[in-house]
Amino acid sequence: MNKGEMTPLGRKIAAAILGTTLAALVLSFLLNALPMIHAYREEGVDKARTLATLMAASLAAPVDFDDPEAAAENLQTLSLNPNVRGAAVYLGDGSVFASYGTPPPFSELDGPGVSTALSSMNVAAPISSGNKGCLVALNVSLAGQWNFLESYLLSGTFILLCVFVISFKLAGRFRRRLGDPLRELTEVVGDISGSRDYSRRVDYASDDELGVLVAEFNAMLGRIEDRDAMLSRHREMLEQRVEERTVQLKVKQLELLRNNRRLHSEVQRRAQAEMIREEVERINRHDLKSGLSLVIGYPELLLQQGGLTPEQVKNIKRIRAAGYRMLDMIRNHLDMFKMEKGVYALNRLPIDLVETLCDLEEELAPQLTSSGVRLAIRLEGKDVVGDETFTVSAEGPLLRTMCRNLVQNAIEASRPDDEVVVSLSFDHAKRPCLTVTNPVPVPAEIRERFFEKYVTHGKENGTGLGTYFAALIARTHGADIVMNTGEETGTSLRITFRR
């Protein structure tokens, strides 16, 4: 709200004082005038009733002697009373016996009594005579009440003016007494709102509510001024701290740029070294494959020539299997890298797991014999004989490598006379499952990291890649692989394939 639209509170206080005073005076005049008018009318009624009674007594003889002239003379004496405007003597049948002035009509009379109007009244009194039913009726004016009211209002108006002048002076004094501090308080609030100068104060002291308000307002300004000063100091401190942090940040940025340059150089150097390492590995794999071709080719040639003893055939087949295993290892090294990068392209075909596991049993026979561990292959809880089938959708070489790693790991972890069980079954969702179980629990040190790379324990020549690569192959096929181990239950690895 603008100052031009604001009505000062002092003016409102003065208007309230004057309005209340005038309203009280007008109300008191009205409350006094009404009883006085009523008393005036009551007094007029009493006088008119007495006058009618006297006239009735004086008119008894003229009525008895049937002397209208005498009755008219008696009525004429009413002219001495200026309030009586007329009178009449009515016989029992309603006829006029004698009259004076403007008498009230007989039809308006309701027997002896008084009937009043706003400015007049009719008074009737019985006449004691032999002619029963005779009445004397007076028409009395009440105009005097208006004159009385007019004089009362004139005197009241004069008194009202005098009281108004006195109240106006007193209201002005109260307005200045109460309004000036409020006006000063308003001006200070407006100045503070515009200039934000909280050092201003309102100079007023009193023991009333207004004094308490001003004192609290000044105290509030003091607290705001102290808080503003504190905030200003804190802002300066924050600005200084921001400048310091900005300098530190610039130093850190320069250091980060230097580190980024060094890191970029290191990344380039490592990338170059990785390229060199991959090239060397590629050459090594090529050279190893070239050498393995003789290891694999000569056993095939010897087997084709024949003339060997069964023991020699068995040993030559083991040499050939070892050659193929080494070839698989060379190939798997590259396949592992592709699967880790998620770029390996699976070549899925229907694979018979029973045939794969039987071939592995023959391949791992020397290890089983040397370790004294038994290997059992079961299909739906029954030992296989070799003519059963259990088909899954997978890539044959990878599936063979996964099974070899899991079974070989279980054999290596087992003790002499222990039995490693490979179970083939279907779960409740008709998904094919492969479970490898051995009675020895996994060491507590590696249980949480069993499928991680390079994790091994207690193996002299262990690399920690067997279970890692097996889990990697399972996940590449979209299969789930879990490990459960315990002191009483041993260790079981369960792979659930997709349908």
Side-chain angles (χ1 to χ4, degrees):
M1 181 182 291
N2 298 328
K3 289 185 177 181
E5 300 176 356
M6 184 178 63
T7 302
L9 184 60
R11 187 178 299 175
K12 293 181 180 180
I13 294 174
I17 294 174
L18 292 177
T20 304
T21 303
L22 293 178
L25 289 174
V26 171
L27 183 62
S28 64
F29 284 149
L30 292 177
L31 294 178
N32 287 330
L34 292 177
M36 293 177 68
I37 294 299
H38 179 72
Y40 180 88
R41 293 174 68 89
E42 290 295 326
E43 183 181 1
V45 169
D46 292 340
K47 290 182 178 180
R49 186 181 288 114
T50 301
L51 182 60
T53 302
L54 292 176
M55 290 302 299
S58 64
L59 291 172
V63 171
D64 287 339
F65 291 102
D66 194 19
D67 187 358
E69 294 180 357
E73 290 180 357
N74 287 341
L75 293 175
Q76 190 67 31
T77 59
L78 296 174
S79 61
L80 298 177
N81 191 335
N83 293 327
V84 180
R85 293 186 293 184
V89 176
Y90 293 102
L91 299 178
D93 57 359
S95 60
V96 178
F97 181 74
S99 63
Y100 161 72
T102 305
F106 184 78
S107 59
E108 296 181 1
L109 300 177
D110 191 15
V114 180
S115 60
T116 61
L118 185 62
S119 299
S120 63
M121 63 179 171
N122 296 326
V123 183
I127 299 175
S128 301
S129 66
N131 191 355
K132 295 183 179 181
C134 291
L135 296 174
V136 57
L138 305 181
N139 184 5
V140 181
S141 175
L142 295 176
Q145 66 181 352
W146 306 119
N147 296 329
F148 172 77
L149 182 61
E150 181 180 359
S151 62
Y152 180 76
L153 289 178
L154 289 175
S155 61
T157 303
F158 177 74
I159 294 173
L160 184 63
L161 289 175
C162 294
V163 172
F164 178 78
V165 172
I166 296 173
S167 298
F168 184 79
K169 296 292 183 181
L170 292 176
R173 183 179 181 87
F174 291 144
R175 180 183 63 81
R176 289 188 298 272
R177 177 69 177 173
L178 298 177
D180 289 349
L182 293 176
R183 177 178 53 80
E184 183 180 357
L185 181 62
T186 304
E187 291 177 353
V188 171
V189 170
D191 293 342
I192 293 175
S193 178
S195 62
R196 304 297 182 188
D197 182 12
Y198 297 105
S199 62
R200 294 286 305 276
R201 297 292 184 271
V202 180
D203 187 13
Y204 178 79
S206 177
D207 58 352
D208 53 9
E209 290 86 351
L210 188 58
V212 174
L213 176 63
V214 172
E216 290 297 327
F217 179 75
N218 289 334
M220 181 186 65
L221 289 178
R223 290 192 295 270
I224 294 176
E225 185 178 10
D226 295 339
R227 189 175 303 170
D228 190 60
M230 182 180 64
L231 289 176
S232 179
R233 292 192 300 270
H234 188 64
R235 183 171 55 252
E236 292 176 356
M237 182 182 66
L238 288 178
E239 290 176 354
Q240 182 180 0
R241 185 174 299 177
V242 168
E243 291 179 358
E244 295 175 355
R245 293 294 176 85
T246 303
V247 173
Q248 295 176 0
L249 181 60
K250 290 181 179 179
V251 173
K252 292 290 184 181
Q253 287 177 342
L254 293 175
E255 184 179 354
L256 181 60
L257 289 175
R258 291 193 296 268
N259 292 335
N260 285 338
R261 293 191 188 98
R262 288 197 297 268
L263 181 61
H264 183 67
S265 300
E266 182 68 18
V267 169
Q268 289 182 339
R269 187 182 63 80
R270 297 231 177 147
Q272 187 176 6
E274 185 69 19
M275 291 175 60
I276 296 173
R277 185 182 65 83
E278 291 181 359
E279 183 65 20
V280 171
E281 289 183 353
R282 185 184 65 80
I283 295 173
N284 290 337
R285 285 195 298 270
H286 180 269
D287 293 342
L288 288 174
K289 287 181 181 178
S290 299
L292 282 176
S293 62
L294 296 177
V295 176
I296 297 173
Y298 277 110
E300 292 288 349
L301 182 60
L302 292 174
L303 291 174
Q304 291 176 4
Q305 289 177 353
L308 301 174
T309 64
E311 185 67 22
Q312 290 174 338
V313 171
K314 184 176 181 181
N315 291 332
I316 290 175
K317 286 183 178 180
R318 289 179 178 176
I319 294 172
R320 183 184 62 179
Y324 278 114
R325 186 166 60 252
M326 291 182 63
L327 183 60
D328 288 342
M329 291 175 61
I330 295 172
R331 291 174 179 173
N332 292 338
H333 187 75
L334 180 60
D335 294 339
M336 183 189 302
F337 175 77
K338 291 181 179 179
M339 283 186 280
E340 288 176 338
K341 298 299 182 182
V343 296
Y344 187 83
L346 277 175
N347 183 20
R348 290 181 180 271
L349 292 173
I351 304 298
D352 184 8
L353 267 178
V354 174
E355 181 181 357
T356 301
L357 292 173
C358 289
D359 291 343
L360 284 177
E361 184 179 14
E362 182 179 353
E363 178 184 334
L364 299 173
Q367 183 178 0
L368 291 170
T369 303
S370 63
S371 63
V373 178
R374 300 186 305 277
L375 177 64
I377 303 175
R378 295 171 183 170
L379 176 61
E380 296 292 347
K382 297 180 181 180
D383 292 337
V384 300
V385 296
D387 57 352
E388 299 90 348
T389 59
F390 190 85
T391 305
V392 296
S393 178
E395 184 171 329
L398 288 181
L399 186 64
R400 181 183 178 89
T401 301
M402 180 187 72
C403 295
R404 182 194 301 115
N405 289 347
L406 295 180
V407 174
Q408 188 174 2
N409 187 73
I411 294 172
E412 292 174 351
S414 299
R415 297 161 301 202
D417 296 330
D418 285 342
E419 184 180 48
V420 175
V421 180
V422 181
S423 301
L424 301 175
S425 61
F426 293 93
D427 65 358
H428 64 280
K430 301 301 181 181
R431 293 179 299 180
C433 299
L434 168 66
T435 305
V436 179
T437 305
N438 69 290
V440 179
V442 175
E445 294 84 350
I446 62 172
R447 289 180 183 178
E448 299 296 330
R449 302 180 295 119
F450 185 74
F451 292 111
E452 293 182 8
K453 200 172 185 180
Y454 306 127
V455 174
T456 184
H457 184 272
K459 295 181 181 180
E460 183 177 354
N461 298 318
T463 61
L465 292 176
T467 55
Y468 170 75
F469 193 33
L472 188 61
I473 294 173
R475 295 185 184 114
T476 302
H477 282 79
D480 297 327
I481 180 168
V482 294
M483 184 273 291
N484 293 306
T485 187
E487 298 297 333
E488 298 180 357
T489 60
T491 302
S492 65
L493 292 170
R494 184 179 180 86
I495 301 173
T496 304
F497 296 91
R498 295 189 303 178
R499 296 179 60 183

